[in-house]
Amino acid sequence: MNTVDVAVVGAGPTGLMLACELAMRGVRVRVLEERGDLPNITRAFGLHARTLELLDARDMADEIVERGVPVREVAPAPGATLNLRELPTRYPMVLIAPQSLTERVLSARASQLGVDIAHGQKVVGLERDHEGVTLRLADGSTQRAGYVVGCDGARSAVRTLLGIDFVGKQYETHILLADVRLARPPSDGLSAKTSADGVVLLVPFGDGWFRAIAWDRTREQAPLSEPVTLSEIRAAFLRIAHTDFGMADMRWSSRFLSERRQAKRYRVGRVFIAGDAAHVHSPLGAQGMNTGIQDAMNLGWKLAQAVGRFAPPWVLDSYEEERHTVGANVLKLTDGFNQLVLGRSLLRRALRRVVITVLLNVPATRHMLEGRLSGIGIRYPRPRGAHPLTGRRMPDIDCSGTRLYELMRDGRFTVVTSDKVDIGRSDVTVAVHVDPGLPAAVLVRPDGYVAWAGERAELAAVVGHWCGERQPSTNPTY
C-alpha cells in the first residue's frame, strides 16, 4: 500500500498551499485530485493584503502581483469608500488575479518541492484508526496516510464521509458569471453598479478579458442548468448598470446559487478539513480563496510538527480553535455585504447603506472594516496576562536590513529581539530589529502571527513550549 505522512484531498489553492507547507518541512505528502486536469477558468479572482503577505513569506507573491491588477479603493455602499492605501502593509490593495494564476504559481512550487499530485483520483471511502487513515478511491485502490486533510470544496467528500454537519443557508438570487471582452471598458477598471433589480460587477483580468458578474433578481426562476448566454448577461448589465460596456466574445459562462455554510467541526481525529470544505459564503468581499490559503498556512506547520513527533499535544487542536472563529467572522462579513446590496427590503437596504456610510466616516470604524476585509486585522485568542501583541499579525519589520517576511521563507519559528541572542537551537531563526516600539523579545510563528512576546529571560522556556524540546524526527512509519 502506498503510504504517506499526509494525504491532501483537492488540488485547488488551499490544497496546493497546504502541500507546499508540508513538503518544505520534509513531510511526505500526496495530493489526490478528482479532476482529470486543472481548468483555466475559475470563479475566484481577488487576493487581499494578508494573503499576499503570507505568499510573500514563502517567496510567491512577486510573480502574482506582477501579473495582477491592483485595486486601491472599494465601495461597499454608494458614497462609502474604503481606501486600502491606508493599510499598514507592503500590499495596500486587493489584487485582481484569477484563481488559475494563483494555482499555477502554487503548482510550480509544489513541483519544485517534489509533491506528488495525482489527478483523476476520487475519494469514495475513509477509514480511521489509531495509527492513521485509509482512503478508498473510485478506481479500487487505496491510499494510506498518517493524516488526511479535505481541501475538496463545498461538496467535500471528506467532510461527508466524516459526517460533519455543514450548517447554513442558500441565497435566493442567482449569480451569473461570464468572461467577456469589452469594446468600452470602464475607466476605473473595477466597476460595480446596483439597482432594484440586483447588482453587477466587472473585474479586469489585465489581459483584455473581464469577469462579468450579475446578481439578477429578474432571472431567479431560471433553471440552474440553463446555460448563460451573452444576450442574458448583456441584458442584466443594461437593466442594472444601464450599459453593457460593449460586451462581446464570451469564452465561458456559468450560473449558480451561493451559500452561507460552515462546518461544525474542522477536525475529527487524524482528519481535517480546510478551505471551501469548511466554509462557503457569498462571493461579495472576495474572501473565499483568501480564507482557504490562510487555513492552509495555519494548519501546515502544525501538521508538520505532529508528523515529526515533536508537536506539543495542544498544537493540532489549535487549528480548529483559531480558524473556526475566523471562518465564522468571514461568514458574518460576507453576509452583511450580501444583505447590504441584495436584501429583499428596499427600506432596510437603504437604512443599512446610510448606517455604513456614517460609520465609515469614523476613522476607527473604517480602519476596523479595512482590517477585516483585508485580513490584516485577523487575530487569534490571547491567553490571560499575555502581551497585547500575542495572537496578532506580526508586521513585516526591518531586521538588520532584511525584511522579516524574507527571513521567514524557510518556514521556521522566528525569534525577534533588539540584540543578538543565542537560544541554542538550529531549528529557530533569530533576527535583530531596531523598532523601539517592540518588546525585548517576540516569538513569531511560521504563519506570521505572534506566539509570544516578553522578556528575553523567558525565551528558552517559551521556545520549548511552542517548538518542542527536541529536534524533529524524519519519515515516521504509519
Side-chain angles (χ1 to χ4, degrees), residues 122-175:
K122 181 179 181 180
V123 173
V124 296
L126 183 154
E127 296 179 4
R128 299 181 294 118
D129 56 56
H130 293 302
E131 298 300 323
V133 185
T134 301
L135 296 174
R136 185 161 48 87
L137 307 178
D139 63 5
S141 65
T142 58
Q143 174 68 63
R144 179 71 174 172
Y147 297 90
V148 168
V149 186
C151 305
D152 48 343
R155 304 292 178 259
S156 170
V158 173
R159 187 190 65 237
T160 301
L161 291 166
L162 289 172
I164 298 175
D165 290 338
F166 203 38
V167 181
K169 65 180 181 181
Q170 190 174 63
Y171 291 112
E172 298 180 37
T173 303
H174 289 196
I175 301 177

Side-chain angles (χ1 to χ4, degrees), residues 92-145:
M93 67 181 87
V94 54
L95 185 75
I96 305 304
Q99 181 177 327
S100 54
L101 169 59
T102 304
E103 287 186 356
R104 284 199 301 273
V105 172
L106 289 169
S107 293
R109 176 59 57 85
S111 178
Q112 291 173 1
L113 292 168
V115 174
D116 177 17
I117 302 176
H119 295 281
Q121 298 292 314
K122 181 179 181 180
V123 173
V124 296
L126 183 154
E127 296 179 4
R128 299 181 294 118
D129 56 56
H130 293 302
E131 298 300 323
V133 185
T134 301
L135 296 174
R136 185 161 48 87
L137 307 178
D139 63 5
S141 65
T142 58
Q143 174 68 63
R144 179 71 174 172

